Amino acid sequence: MDSSVSRASLGIDYKLLRRIPYLILLVKYGINEKEYVTINLTRLANDIGTTPQNVFKIINRLAEEGLIIKSTVSGQLAIKFTQRASEALQFVIDTIRHYLDERLVIRLVGTVVSGLGEGSFYMSLDGYVKQFIEKLGFKPYPGTLNIRLKPEYVKYRLYLDALPGIYIEGFSNGVRTYGNVKCFRATIQGLPGAVLLIERTHHGPDVIEVISPYKLRDRLGLKDGDDIEVLVTL
């Protein structure tokens, strides 16, 4: 979403602004737009100094106002953000970023792991490459670097699911279709690149795929098991 998008164009009014602290708190618990996440009402109540009954009322109110969707997973209450909630969070980030006159960054740390060898194929497809050049400003090396995040950083990766990011559209070549990809610009130990959130992936939320104009394994001298830091720009 363009950071110049105004509060009025998003339909963010006083009522919605009052809900943003709750959305931010839910981000802390890993709530995102991609998948349902179970929540513990008692724990959440303790965090904000109220009762589980009041938390349940808040959850229902957020659902009624179109900010979350409720479900059940293994008999437990589970929720996920709607697009409206993600846009509201992005508005907050853009506003703070404008006030501070700087980019906000999420730090992800993990270890290098081998992938399934599919990255080189997908990163060489014209339908993706043309959009990467247009929207990210670089032609990626035909391959991805797979990073398994340390457990304490997975929640920050899930936070990215709640943000719009840079949208790479899926396409069809007449034989098969290829899914959408959401990107966030990033630096990988000082080198430019992007983190990919792929619509169709075999990986769990603890693994991210990174692209760059460079072959990162060679440029940074990386091997499986090496620690690596990625700074994601919001």
Side-chain angles (χ1 to χ4, degrees), residues 118 121-122 125 127-128 170-180 198 200-202:
E118 298 177 336
F121 170 71
Y122 290 110
L125 294 174
Y128 286 134
F171 60 94
S172 173
N173 62 4
V175 177
R176 60 173 289 190
T177 59
Y178 299 91
N180 302 320
I198 301 171
R200 303 173 185 174
T201 179
H202 301 290

Side-chain angles (χ1 to χ4, degrees), residues 195-210:
V195 171
L196 307 184
L197 302 186
I198 301 171
E199 185 178 81
R200 303 173 185 174
T201 179
H202 301 290
H203 300 304
D206 62 330
V207 174
I208 59 172
E209 294 190 54
V210 175

Side-chain angles (χ1 to χ4, degrees), residues 81-143:
F81 286 139
T82 62
Q83 182 178 352
R84 178 168 166 76
S86 296
E87 290 174 347
L89 288 167
Q90 183 67 57
F91 169 77
V92 173
I93 289 172
D94 289 339
T95 301
I96 295 172
R97 187 173 62 202
H98 177 74
Y99 174 75
L100 296 176
D101 194 26
E102 63 183 35
R103 306 292 287 180
L104 300 182
V105 171
I106 287 181
R107 179 172 178 259
L108 300 175
V109 178
T111 56
V112 176
V113 294
S114 293
L116 300 175
E118 298 177 336
S120 58
F121 170 71
Y122 290 110
M123 290 303 101
S124 64
L125 294 174
D126 283 345
Y128 286 134
V129 172
K130 290 178 180 178
Q131 293 186 73
F132 286 135
I133 294 172
E134 176 187 352
K135 298 178 181 181
L136 295 177
F138 65 82
K139 181 178 180 179
Y141 170 82

